Amino acid sequence: MSQTTEKVRKTLARRYRAEKRFKAFGLGAIGIGLMALVLLFTDIIGKGHSAFVEYEIQLPVTFDAEVMDVSDPRDEEQLNYGNYQGVIRDALADRFPGVESRLDTRALNQLVSTGAGYALRDMLREDPSLLGETRTLWLLADDDVDLFLKANEKQREDSRLNEKQQAWVAELEASGETRMVFNQSLFSYGDSREPEQAGILGAILGSLFTMIVTLVLSFPIGVAAAVYLEEFAPKNRFTDFIEVNINNLAAVPSIIFGLLGLAVIIGLFGLPRSVPLVGGIVLTLMTLPTIIISSRAAIKAVPPSIRQAAMGLGASKMQVVLHHVLPLALPGMLTGAIIGMAQALGETAPLLMIGMVAFIVDLPAGPLDAATVLPVQIYLWADSPEQSFESLASAAIMVLLAFLITMNTLAVILRKRLERRW
Amino acid sequence: METAQQLDKPALGTNDAARDKAINEQAAMTQDTPYPDQTVGTPFVDDPKMRLRDVEVFYDDNQAIHGVSLDIGKNEVVSLIGPSGCGKSTFLRCLNRMNDTIDICKVKGSLHLESQDLYDPKLDVVELRARVGMVFQKPNPFPKSIYDNVAYGPRIHGLANKKYDLDEIVETSLRKAGLWEEVKDRLHAPGTGLSGGQQQRLCIARTIAVSPEVVLMDEPCSALDPIATAKIEELISELSESYTIAIVTHSMQQAARVSHRTAYFHLGRLVEMNDTETVFTKPEHDLTEAYITGRFG
Amino acid sequence: MQTGNLLLLLVVMVAGAYYLGLRRSFALARPLGGIRHLHSLPFYFAMRSAMWCALPALVVLGLWLAFDDSIIRQQVLASLPAELQPTDASSYNLTLSKIQNVASGALPVNFVEPPIAAAAEHLQSLRQTSAMALTVVVIVLCMFGGAWAWLKVSPQLRARQQVERVLQTLFMLCATVAILTTVGIVMSVLFESIRFFGKVPVTDFLFGLQWSPQTALRADQVASGGAFGAVPLFMGTMLISAIALLVAVPVGLMSAIYLAEYASKRVRTVAKPALEVLAGVPTVVYGFFAALTVAPFIRGMGESVGLDVASESALAAGLVMGIMIIPFVSSLADDVITAVPQAMRDGSLGLGATKSETIKKVIFPAALPGIMGGILLAASRAIGETMIVVMAAGLAANLTANPLEAVTTITVQIVTLLTGDQEFDSAKTLAAFALGLMLFITTLVMNIFALHIVKKYREQYD
């Protein structure tokens, strides 16, 4: 056996230990990354799943004309100013006859959401003959009651309900006068100060309008810019400057785009604050680099032979591009656009700058109505003190992630489907 | 022999198209007809350094090497020649298990370095590669200084205890590779700054710094100019005094100049192996003759 | 006429011009014996007409809409009597919003001084005039443009070339949006910053150790000036970014190495996209995670070992930010590592090096410049990250290097200063733009430098 072999043998044990250690580090690193992912998702699902359901309380409600101060349910004005809380209060008093003191009465009245009155109004509008009748109804519970009912034994000790309220709710629960239903208000209302009445529809609409504006602006501009840079731009300083700008804009912090929107689009051009139109413009400027870069890659992937073939038939440069290159590059461009949109959909910081962070109850009807977007709604709710808002925020995150996953899956499918192998 | 005679039928092509046709027909025939299992010539020697029997290599389902058996003698230079894609590089890479780095590659047969089974599961591939070094087709110096390139092997294997020892190993290796005089003043300049031929000699120095017993060379001159090639060839002849060398080459002249024995590979089979002189002057197999007379390759 | 309706009318007129252009080109072609005697296809003649009809009108429309509001405002303010003329910027804004509110009916006329009411009326009438004039001008331009193009149609007209040239120019304008955006960013942060530095000296801002940007409501209040020393913000930003990089660089780098060099194909196809999911999660989600899960957890951990941890500790924000950047680092590192030629690996393995020795001593040094560039890009991303720190880091500007305490960052302060009610001119608002300028310059320099390194590195192995 040679001297070398002997020496090498001596080192082997040590070197293989190092090899194992190194490999373990790598595996550990991936483990950390994946664990973070799993933790993130379980945490959010764990917090948010309960927000998709809500509790209702069963009460026999009498539509008493006098208490409501509604004599003619067909009169819209009377209907709107009716005292529906009054009949609910009466119904609660009937259900728990022993409650006397003012403090207790108030505590009792807090069990039902203030939003339940609107439900009564809507029922009365639908069916005016209800006036004077008594119906057993399921009414939306207050968020503290909701939390109490969703909580387990141990968590119930920390409930914000006082002892009497807890006893009442427990009584209702035991006698089957509470039920859990799908949280419809989550998908049918805008923001609210009351967690049980707050929904994400307003934010979803706001996001939708913002995304429409972004897509309408960024896709044509991005594709046109990419076509120019790949096909027409002469190789000169100006073109280089454009490229440097695009590359750098791709890495500029998003909040800076918010400052741009605030100072230029709102300050200089005088567009209104808090509207999806401005949000869309800001996000357009932010996603343009992404779209331009991916569109250029798609154009580059079209083989030169196709260009030469068309050119050889006497097509002009513009005809070659419009008739051949663009249609072939379109799938790649669309993929890039979807990814850019997904990025824009999750963006929050620049929209805070342009005032899309306001508390807005009404559902926006167009890109010029004040609105908020899904990520900003999450931010607002995460900052709210009530615990119910925390699970609402988690639920909103789940919805946002569902949108993002759908979009990214779509991009992947599109790429697979339309991918051409040259 | 019948097949071989049939192969001879296509007349000597005077133009490229005819030559291509000849090659294609040969390839088609070799696929249809069973190949002679027996290698002609004398592939075996007494007391070999490496004893290789029935070597078969698969890439997934494709068989790249079909039952090759040959010996490599001590302090002998063996050259492996043959048309491109004949499996000579694949075969060479089996000899220090570089094929391990390719997931889909499987090697069968009995391969021994002296008494050591190369594919023994207990064998340490690190130790094996310290004994069987390799020089690659394209010069691949690390992006480090010349000194660090040569010292890399001794360092990882713990061959030198002191800086002084290491210096000595570096100097001897560079001297043996014939590079010392050219680089002794700039040992700490990057190795990538050398010319192509110098880089390849650096890679050879790097390989012999570990004092391997066998050096494998995979077309070491194919990326070099004629002058650099001549230097490397000269170096190979010198090295053969102390090392056993197996060299894959594309150039028949090179094989003729540097090697003691030559093996001719064709479509994954060893067709003929003999003394270099015999192979080039009196080839026994028609395929060998066709190749060395330039009818294809 | 409302802008929306005007645009609709414009579309109709353009369509008309297109149709007329098409008709005329066919009409001209017929006596000559078919459209192949025309210089260009009828489509191009029609497009040319449509362009002539649309472009001048659109340009005027755009400019008009961009500037009419500010011009009208100037005129209305100038019409005010001298004693009501605004003296400084804040009273300017106040007067203006008063006038606008009266004009829109939000503020009853009898609530304000008569000159203001008159100004409001003036504003209304100017607006109406402007809208009417715009309608007329746009329609006239459309008609003239369309008519001129229609008249010019002739068989020899090089319509295709003209249409293509216009299209190409349009494409080029789209490409210059990138430049305009950069210019817009520079302008918006620069001008406001200059105004800020007019109120607060640059040196105070850059080297001051005190940050308390509240401006007083009355001039005689205590600390009415506010303090604008940004050093605590810079330190806070660096602290959180450093924590983030300490998490992201080793984890990202090692996972990239493992995936590129060790992992089997199966592991790779699962682990790689899974890690990339981390990159697709919106930052607000990370902020939520940091503020409501990680921060309380760290605080609880600290309490159990007797450490006093702030509920908005830098550690929580930094850790979560680190998780966010892991995929960023790993994908950059993966690019760089796979760019190292296989020949390097073969060379090292052929000498009998183990895999980890090859990685540590050959691949890693070879890839180092690229990896450094990647880390620099990651750092610039950490510095500019907003939502995680807004939600999970503090507001108090503590000058500390203790990761268990609350610190604030540049981005947090920008958001805090600019959300909620604000006057456009106070030092408080302007300070946000000065911070924005700092942020922009820092990240820009880091990005340019990093991209340069990475590019140099790529060229080395091309």
Side-chain angles (χ1 to χ4, degrees):
Chain A
M1 190 180 297
S2 76
Q3 220 187 342
T4 305
T5 322
E6 239 171 88
K7 278 186 177 162
V8 171
R9 282 227 171 124
K10 271 191 214 149
T11 65
L12 280 179
R14 176 180 56 74
R15 288 165 68 189
Y16 278 115
R17 273 200 305 279
E19 173 81 20
K20 267 206 189 114
R21 222 169 22 238
F22 190 74
K23 213 171 155 180
F25 280 147
L27 211 56
I30 289 181
I32 290 174
L34 296 183
M35 208 179 65
L37 186 71
V38 171
L39 263 180
L40 185 69
F41 275 74
T42 47
D43 180 50
I44 281 158
I45 293 172
K47 279 189 177 132
H49 73 276
S50 65
F52 287 100
V53 291
E54 61 188 0
Y55 271 90
E56 291 180 340
I57 297 176
Q58 191 182 40
L59 279 179
V61 178
T62 310
F63 288 87
D64 190 317
E66 236 163 84
V67 178
M68 290 194 297
D69 199 14
V70 175
S71 52
D72 179 12
R74 283 171 199 85
D75 182 355
E76 193 61 24
E77 188 154 339
Q78 275 191 33
L79 209 56
N80 278 337
Y81 289 104
N83 178 13
Y84 304 99
Q85 299 299 330
V87 284
I88 295 173
R89 262 181 239 138
D90 288 351
L92 279 167
D94 288 346
R95 175 67 185 77
F96 296 99
V99 181
E100 294 293 334
S101 78
R102 268 186 64 177
L103 212 64
D104 286 350
T105 314
R106 187 183 293 165
L108 181 63
N109 291 337
Q110 281 170 358
L111 295 185
V112 174
S113 163
T114 52
Y118 299 114
L120 294 189
R121 182 192 64 193
D122 293 344
M123 285 171 70
L124 200 57
R125 181 183 290 146
E126 283 281 300
D127 183 7
S129 66
L130 278 176
L131 198 67
E133 300 285 308
T134 303
R135 290 277 188 283
T136 302
L137 300 176
W138 287 101
L139 298 177
L140 188 57
D142 187 69
D143 63 307
D144 288 330
V145 176
D146 188 60
L147 268 183
F148 180 79
L149 286 167
K150 282 171 184 167
N152 58 31
E153 287 297 317
K154 209 169 158 295
Q155 289 166 330
R156 285 190 175 186
E157 287 167 19
D158 305 330
S159 172
R160 282 175 34 153
L161 298 178
N162 66 33
E163 270 173 40
K164 280 185 182 158
Q165 285 176 318
Q166 294 195 14
W168 294 325
V169 175
E171 190 188 327
L172 288 170
E173 191 186 16
S175 59
E177 286 167 277
T178 59
R179 69 168 183 186
M180 199 171 76
V181 293
F182 177 69
N183 187 354
Q184 277 189 332
S185 50
L186 183 64
F187 294 101
S188 44
Y189 295 127
D191 199 3
S192 168
R193 298 274 183 228
E194 302 296 330
E196 76 275 4
Q197 296 170 39
I200 53 173
L201 184 61
I204 289 180
L205 287 176
S207 278
L208 179 72
F209 291 130
T210 312
M211 285 303 109
I212 290 176
V213 173
T214 311
L215 184 65
V216 165
L217 289 177
S218 66
F219 190 59
I221 297 181
V223 168
V227 166
Y228 177 75
L229 291 174
E230 277 304 316
E231 301 283 343
F232 295 106
K235 197 91 199 100
N236 60 19
R237 284 242 181 108
F238 181 67
T239 311
D240 285 347
F241 186 57
I242 293 179
E243 294 208 18
V244 169
N245 267 298
I246 290 172
N247 286 334
N248 282 320
L249 282 180
V252 165
S254 61
I255 192 171
I256 301 277
F257 288 96
L259 290 179
L260 170 73
L262 179 61
V264 175
I265 299 170
I266 293 177
L268 191 64
F269 294 140
L271 266 70
R273 288 166 64 92
S274 311
V275 299
L277 177 66
V278 178
I281 295 175
V282 170
L283 292 181
T284 296
L285 298 181
M286 206 192 78
T287 45
L288 256 186
T290 314
I291 294 183
I292 295 179
I293 291 170
S294 62
S295 298
R296 289 184 69 175
I299 294 174
K300 264 197 198 122
V302 176
S305 59
I306 298 218
R307 291 185 184 85
Q308 282 155 11
M311 219 93 94
L313 291 171
S316 72
K317 180 92 191 171
M318 187 62 81
Q319 285 169 327
V320 171
V321 170
L322 294 183
H323 298 168
H324 300 280
V325 177
L326 268 189
L328 290 175
L330 202 61
M333 292 173 161
L334 278 178
T335 318
I338 293 175
I339 289 168
M341 287 298 113
Q343 203 185 332
L345 180 60
E347 197 54 66
T348 322
L351 301 179
L352 299 183
M353 300 287 92
I354 56 161
M356 291 189 86
V357 63
F359 172 74
I360 292 151
V361 178
D362 297 329
L363 300 179
L368 278 168
D369 284 353
T372 186
V373 293
L374 211 41
V376 176
Q377 188 69 70
I378 293 165
Y379 164 66
L380 286 171
W381 282 344
D383 254 12
S384 304
E386 278 103 331
Q387 211 201 330
S388 299
F389 277 124
E390 194 181 310
S391 54
L392 273 178
S394 304
I397 289 177
M398 284 158 76
V399 173
L400 176 63
L401 288 178
F403 277 125
L404 291 179
I405 290 171
T406 314
M407 286 169 84
N408 282 306
T409 316
L410 198 69
V412 171
I413 292 174
L414 199 68
R415 183 157 48 199
K416 287 254 161 72
R417 238 328 141 70
L418 302 172
E419 200 171 53
R420 234 171 263 262
R421 302 222 174 269
W422 306 106
Chain B
M1 270 304 106
E2 217 177 62
T3 24
Q5 272 161 4
Q6 279 175 345
L7 286 180
D8 216 6
K9 262 192 206 158
L12 263 174
T14 47
N15 54 36
D16 286 348
R19 203 192 70 164
D20 287 348
K21 198 171 160 236
I23 294 171
N24 285 339
E25 277 171 20
Q26 271 163 353
M29 262 180 243
T30 43
Q31 272 162 13
D32 295 341
T33 50
Y35 220 79
D37 280 338
Q38 218 84 50
T39 303
V40 294
T42 50
F44 307 131
V45 296
D46 295 335
D47 190 18
K49 185 78 188 170
M50 297 191 99
R51 186 171 171 279
L52 314 158
R53 293 293 179 273
D54 305 317
V55 178
E56 303 200 319
V57 181
F58 299 85
Y59 291 107
D60 267 346
D61 295 334
N62 293 327
Q63 189 165 2
I65 303 279
H66 303 257
V68 169
S69 300
L70 61 87
D71 284 340
I72 299 173
K74 288 199 170 102
N75 288 14
E76 179 182 58
V77 178
V78 169
S79 57
L80 313 177
I81 59 170
S84 2
C86 68
K88 50 196 192 307
S89 282
T90 302
F91 181 75
L92 191 76
R93 287 168 70 96
C94 293
L95 304 187
N96 73 342
R97 291 184 50 179
M98 277 309 280
N99 282 336
D100 287 13
T101 56
I102 303 161
D103 288 338
I104 54 168
C105 183
K106 300 227 161 31
V107 179
K108 284 185 190 163
S110 116
L111 297 87
H112 284 85
L113 171 64
E114 290 175 339
S115 61
Q116 175 69 59
D117 180 359
L118 298 189
Y119 283 81
D120 182 350
K122 276 178 282 174
L123 168 80
D124 203 310
V125 61
V126 166
E127 190 189 316
L128 169 68
R129 287 178 190 156
R131 294 175 68 186
V132 184
M134 183 150 194
V135 176
F136 297 85
Q137 187 167 2
K138 225 179 119 208
N140 56 350
F142 303 135
K144 299 166 176 284
S145 71
I146 295 169
Y147 182 94
D148 286 338
N149 260 290
V150 182
Y152 178 79
R155 272 190 184 134
I156 57 167
H157 292 305
L159 299 184
N161 299 322
K162 299 190 205 78
K163 174 92 171 69
Y164 174 79
D165 292 342
L166 197 58
D167 287 348
E168 200 179 87
I169 294 178
V170 171
E171 184 178 337
T172 358
S173 310
L174 283 171
R175 273 190 199 284
K176 279 191 196 160
L179 198 60
W180 176 253
E181 292 301 323
E182 293 164 55
V183 300
K184 65 179 176 194
D185 301 325
R186 44 175 177 143
L187 284 177
H188 295 282
T192 41
L194 298 173
S195 74
Q198 286 174 321
Q199 283 189 10
Q200 193 62 298
R201 276 182 284 151
L202 177 63
C203 291
I204 293 173
R206 187 174 72 186
T207 306
I208 58 183
V210 190
S211 352
E213 297 157 44
V214 182
V215 177
L216 310 175
M217 297 188 175
D218 188 359
E219 301 192 27
C221 302
S222 66
L224 304 181
D225 61 79
I227 296 170
T229 301
K231 276 199 174 152
I232 302 267
E233 284 177 5
E234 207 176 297
L235 174 60
I236 292 170
S237 305
E238 281 167 26
L239 291 176
S240 68
E241 284 165 23
S242 31
Y243 304 96
T244 305
I245 295 173
I247 174 170
V248 164
T249 174
H250 220 82
S251 142
M252 279 171 284
Q253 291 84 345
Q254 185 169 63
R257 282 192 296 264
V258 300
S259 63
H260 303 121
R261 292 197 307 141
T262 297
Y264 173 67
F265 279 70
H266 191 94
L267 292 172
R269 287 180 168 87
L270 176 60
V271 175
E272 176 167 358
M273 187 162 182
N274 251 328
D275 286 340
T276 300
E277 212 185 310
T278 321
V279 171
F280 284 102
T281 51
K282 296 190 287 268
E284 292 180 27
H285 201 289
D286 297 326
L287 278 171
T288 319
E289 192 184 349
Y291 180 70
I292 61 167
T293 52
R295 247 179 283 166
F296 56 81
Chain C
M1 197 182 282
Q2 277 190 330
T3 318
N5 293 343
L6 190 58
L7 276 175
L8 224 63
L9 181 70
L10 197 64
V11 170
V12 172
M13 291 177 74
V14 169
Y18 181 91
Y19 177 71
L20 289 177
L22 201 64
R23 280 273 303 272
R24 183 164 164 87
S25 62
F26 273 118
L28 281 175
R30 208 166 299 125
L32 296 174
I35 55 168
R36 65 200 170 83
H37 295 280
L38 296 178
H39 173 272
S40 311
L41 287 173
F43 167 77
Y44 288 102
F45 288 104
M47 273 308 280
R48 183 176 171 279
S49 303
M51 276 175 176
W52 268 106
C53 179
L55 287 179
L58 276 179
V59 169
V60 169
L61 182 69
L63 289 176
W64 196 296
L65 287 180
F67 294 108
D68 75 329
D69 215 39
S70 45
I71 293 172
I72 290 176
R73 256 186 268 162
Q74 289 304 328
Q75 286 211 341
V76 168
L77 282 178
S79 74
L80 281 179
E83 71 271 16
L84 281 172
Q85 284 288 346
T87 45
D88 58 9
S90 59
S91 70
Y92 170 91
N93 280 333
L94 191 70
T95 318
L96 202 63
S97 66
K98 238 193 228 169
I99 295 173
Q100 277 168 343
N101 281 335
V102 174
S104 67
L107 201 63
V109 183
N110 45 7
F111 267 53
V112 293
E113 303 93 323
I116 299 278
E121 217 159 281
H122 189 43
L123 180 75
Q124 269 313 37
S125 75
L126 275 180
R127 275 186 182 161
Q128 273 170 6
T129 321
S130 157
M132 232 140 65
L134 177 62
T135 310
V136 171
V137 167
V138 165
I139 292 177
V140 166
L141 272 176
C142 259
M143 287 179 13
F144 270 101
W148 193 74
W150 188 80
L151 285 175
K152 288 283 275 185
V153 175
S154 72
Q156 295 80 36
L157 183 70
R158 296 158 66 82
R160 182 176 57 74
Q161 276 86 340
Q162 291 184 9
V163 170
E164 288 183 349
R165 209 173 308 134
V166 172
L167 260 181
Q168 194 177 329
T169 318
L170 217 60
F171 286 178
M172 194 197 71
L173 288 179
C174 287
T176 52
V177 168
I179 296 181
L180 291 181
T181 310
T182 310
V183 171
I185 288 175
V186 172
M187 290 298 164
S188 53
V189 291
L190 198 64
F191 283 144
E192 309 291 332
S193 300
I194 290 171
R195 281 164 71 192
F196 173 74
F197 291 132
K199 300 185 184 207
V200 177
V202 185
T203 45
D204 283 11
F205 175 73
L206 286 181
F207 304 112
L209 301 180
Q210 272 290 326
W211 179 266
S212 49
Q214 58 274 45
T215 38
L217 294 171
R218 298 188 313 273
D220 55 338
Q221 263 178 330
V222 190
S224 58
F228 291 98
V231 171
L233 310 191
F234 298 152
M235 284 299 293
T237 307
M238 284 208 278
L239 178 62
I240 290 182
S241 305
I243 297 172
L245 289 181
L246 276 180
V247 174
V249 170
V251 174
L253 203 55
M254 283 309 290
S255 33
I257 288 175
Y258 187 86
L259 287 177
E261 305 282 338
Y262 285 106
S264 66
K265 217 173 169 185
R266 279 227 333 265
V267 173
R268 225 183 348 252
T269 47
V270 176
K272 223 172 170 180
L275 280 182
E276 272 159 21
V277 170
L278 278 178
V281 173
T283 54
V284 69
V285 177
Y286 283 111
F288 178 87
F289 185 59
L292 296 174
T293 305
V294 178
F297 176 74
I298 290 178
R299 193 179 152 84
M301 287 275 284
E303 265 168 14
S304 65
V305 295
L307 274 173
D308 189 24
V309 183
S311 60
E312 299 183 316
S313 61
L315 188 59
L319 275 181
V320 175
M321 196 189 280
I323 293 173
M324 185 193 81
I325 326 181
I326 288 173
F328 191 70
V329 175
S330 79
S331 79
L332 278 171
D334 186 63
D335 280 0
V336 174
I337 288 168
T338 42
V340 176
Q342 183 63 30
M344 293 289 151
R345 290 181 183 83
D346 283 351
S348 173
L349 292 174
L351 285 170
T354 63
K355 236 174 180 172
S356 65
E357 283 162 352
T358 306
I359 294 164
K360 281 187 276 191
K361 295 186 176 149
V362 177
I363 298 177
F364 188 73
L368 196 61
I371 290 174
M372 289 314 289
I375 291 176
L376 215 54
L377 282 177
S380 118
R381 174 158 288 209
I383 290 173
E385 169 48 39
T386 309
M387 289 321 290
I388 295 177
V389 281
V390 165
M391 294 169 83
L395 288 175
N398 296 327
L399 188 55
T400 175
N402 180 355
L404 301 180
E405 278 184 49
V407 294
T408 191
T409 71
I410 298 176
T411 49
V412 170
Q413 289 303 320
I414 295 179
V415 170
T416 329
L417 294 175
L418 287 183
T419 49
D421 295 325
Q422 34 165 299
E423 321 142 62
F424 213 72
D425 246 7
S426 69
K428 195 178 144 186
T429 316
L430 294 177
F433 284 93
L435 289 175
L437 179 67
M438 290 296 126
L439 185 61
F440 181 66
I441 293 176
T442 317
T443 51
L444 186 72
V445 169
M446 288 171 88
N447 291 335
I448 291 180
F449 192 55
L451 289 176
H452 179 76
I453 297 179
V454 172
K455 199 174 153 206
K456 268 268 142 64
Y457 169 78
R458 289 255 163 80
E459 281 164 1
Q460 183 192 335
Y461 289 119
D462 269 349

